[in-house]
Every structure is written in structure tokens, then in C-alpha cells.
Amino acid sequence: MSATILLVDDEQDLVETLRYSLEREGYATLAAKYGAMALGFLGQTQTPDLVLLDWMLPDMAGTEVCRNLRMSERTRKIPVIMVSARSEEIDRVVGFEIGADDYVTKPFSVRELLLRIKAILRRRTPELGDGEQA
């Protein structure tokens, strides 16, 4: 089964570009333009395997979405990659402090982002035979 990536960004062109690239790599995708919509997806039975999260959303900050993810037992272990135009060191520090697993500044290389996603998912997926049940 392929991993599901939740894209949370209000830039429709970027979402479509990422969706195309991710689906071409075999990932399933969900997209949310608003933080509340993303949290709604996360409240459903199927949770994504990774969240790509913009900092500046129309209804709430991506940092607030990330905090909500980390506070819930059900979603706290979902990897989050913050994708933001905010590129100052303090922004990256805050992103990591609120629980992001990685931080990528816009503009970015889609190829590099795909490799970061693969690396995070590879570390999350237990290898068969390492003592964990699949």
C-alpha cells in the first residue's frame, strides 16, 4: 500500500504541482487549503502517513495545525514537513520547536522535497524482521 501525503497549502498551483509529482512517485494525496480542513481530514478514520504543511494559511497558522497534531494521541507521530516562505532562522527554529520533523523554504526543489519525504517515510516504516509487527 502506498503512503498517503496530506498537502496543506492555499497556493493552488503549488498544490497541483506537488500532487502531480507525488502521485507520479506512487503516493496517494489529500489536499486542504485551510488549517481547519486539514484537521478535519485528520479526524477521519484514515490518517495520512506524512503532512506537508504551509505556515501561512488563510484561517490559522500552520504552526497551530502542527501543535494540534502533536497534542492528539492519534496524530502525534505523523511526520510533518513545514513548507514556508518564512526563511529566517527564528522561523525554522519555531517550526522545529512546535514539532515539525523538517522545514523547507519556498521556493524549493520538488526533487529535493520528494527525497526528504522518502527519507522520513523510510525511517518511519519498520523493516520486516526487526522485531516489529507489520
Side-chain angles (χ1 to χ4, degrees):
M1 178 187 281
S2 69
T4 300
I5 311 293
L6 173 58
L7 306 167
V8 187
D9 200 306
D10 61 327
E11 292 180 46
Q12 191 61 35
D13 291 342
L14 177 60
V15 169
E16 290 306 315
T17 298
L18 291 174
R19 176 175 261 164
Y20 173 80
S21 297
L22 288 164
E23 289 176 355
R24 198 178 66 185
E25 292 292 318
Y27 296 110
T29 60
L30 300 168
K33 183 176 182 175
Y34 301 99
M37 183 186 287
L39 293 172
F41 275 131
L42 296 166
Q44 296 175 356
T45 46
Q46 180 190 358
T47 56
D49 298 291
L50 185 136
V51 177
L52 289 177
L53 179 60
D54 186 21
W55 185 310
M56 295 178 281
L57 298 169
D59 62 337
M60 68 174 56
T63 53
E64 190 61 31
V65 175
C66 191
R67 276 191 192 101
N68 276 282
L69 286 169
R70 295 304 179 232
M71 289 186 336
S72 169
E73 184 66 38
R74 185 165 181 258
T75 59
R76 79 170 26 128
K77 292 185 180 181
I78 297 173
V80 174
I81 299 177
M82 295 289 295
V83 181
S84 179
R86 298 178 70 135
S87 60
E88 298 295 320
E89 178 185 12
I90 188 65
D91 299 319
R92 294 188 306 272
V93 168
V94 168
F96 287 120
E97 284 180 342
I98 54 110
D101 296 279
D102 201 353
Y103 193 102
V104 177
T105 57
K106 295 177 184 177
F108 57 85
S109 158
V110 173
R111 184 175 180 206
E112 179 182 346
L113 181 62
L114 290 171
L115 291 170
R116 288 173 183 263
I117 290 167
K118 285 180 184 178
I120 288 173
L121 291 175
R122 184 175 51 242
R123 285 190 297 269
R124 270 199 85 222
T125 305
E127 303 255 330
L128 294 178
D130 69 355
E132 298 215 23
Q133 300 273 329

